[in-house]
Amino acid sequence: TLVALTTNEAAGRLVAVQPITGEKLWSTQLPAGPHNIAATPAGDVVIATSPPAGAVTIIRLERPSFRSFRVTAIIRGLAAPHDVEIAPDGRFAYVTEEGGGRVAVISLTRNRVVRRVAVGLRPHDLAVSPNGRRVWVTHGSGGSQLTVLETASPARARVLRRVAARVGAPHDISFDRGRVWVTYWGSGRVGAYASATGALLFTRRAGELTHHVLAAGGRAWVTDHHGARAVVFDRQGSTLRTLRACGDPHHVAVLAGVAVVACADGRLSAYREESGVRIRTTRAGSSLHGVALVFS
């Protein structure tokens, strides 16, 4: 059974829903303004950021059904923690501290920050490479470059290099098989960079105002926030399909042949990954932002 976990910013809650059936499993209060969310590859641990509260919440989901959970830690004192991604081995999480110009490295076995890396002004979103050895970071709307961290040893993470954005200021970012996909602030475009060299491979039009991107399985899912749609590209940047989504779409998650889009109008839209056929749309709150998928 597939479970979607999504942050309801307005209500300050984390909500668990079955996106195929629309059944609501549970919800729990988080520190104010929960924003982005990530799950371990095993699906047993979820971590959510709360920028207004300066907090990150770590939650363990109880198998087999994920109908129960426990909050294992709330880490406070972070400077506007915005985005979070988890390393492929599930042992470390990376969080952008937008108010502090840092990336915080959190041990998920010790439930505490083990390193902070100064990366420059307003680090916003980030992506971890499939082998866990690199983390790419975007910056605020005035940024003209991406920051690449060396993370082979997460507790000793460091800035490795900067990559010139070349076109626009990068906003969201996602890895897939040697490519790094990026959306741009205030733009309707998406671009792809070679992860090994940082070379810009191409840019494509993806709507009125591209927001977030999720690359998986040789496809890139891009949400068009103003156009209320998701655009799906292949690895070469050709448009495969354009899908009507719920209102003001934000993040996308893909797992086991299903893609789920979380929207600011409080709904989740679920699609078949291969065909783009919409399975259902479920109301899950009042203002959704982040979304993660796990198996129960």
Side-chain angles (χ1 to χ4, degrees), residues 43-232:
D44 57 341
V45 175
V46 173
I47 181 167
T49 63
S50 294
V56 164
T57 305
I58 301 173
I59 295 174
R60 181 166 292 278
L61 305 178
E62 303 292 349
R63 291 189 182 276
S65 67
F66 291 152
R67 289 179 181 271
S68 61
F69 63 93
R70 59 188 173 90
V71 175
T72 58
I74 299 178
I75 301 172
R76 300 188 183 272
L78 300 173
H82 182 268
D83 196 20
V84 56
E85 293 292 342
I86 296 175
D89 63 7
R91 296 173 55 221
F92 293 91
Y94 301 91
V95 175
T96 52
E97 291 188 79
E98 201 166 26
R102 300 180 298 259
V103 170
V105 184
I106 295 175
S107 168
L108 296 181
T109 57
R110 299 159 70 185
N111 290 336
R112 68 180 185 89
V113 176
V114 295
R115 187 166 181 81
R116 279 185 164 105
V117 184
V119 294
L121 188 65
R122 289 189 61 203
H124 191 74
D125 287 332
L126 53 78
V128 184
S129 65
N131 63 10
R133 299 179 65 87
R134 298 287 186 271
V135 170
W136 283 49
V137 183
T138 69
H139 296 267
S141 57
S144 60
Q145 59 187 6
L146 300 120
T147 300
V148 182
L149 304 185
E150 162 61 59
T151 55
S153 176
R156 294 195 292 273
R158 62 184 180 87
V159 173
L160 180 66
R161 61 193 170 108
R162 312 281 183 176
V163 172
R166 306 188 191 282
V167 289
H171 178 181
D172 195 25
I173 186 167
S174 184
F175 260 98
D176 184 39
R177 294 189 294 179
R179 297 194 171 180
V180 180
W181 288 78
V182 169
T183 59
Y184 299 94
W185 287 97
S187 161
R189 302 193 73 81
V190 62
Y193 297 79
S195 60
T197 65
L200 177 63
L201 302 175
F202 55 77
T203 64
R204 297 289 187 266
R205 173 67 58 180
E208 299 173 32
L209 182 65
T210 55
H211 237 230
H212 295 104
V213 56
L214 187 281
R219 299 181 181 89
W221 293 69
V222 181
T223 56
D224 178 9
H225 194 60
H226 283 179
R229 59 193 168 191
V231 183
V232 187

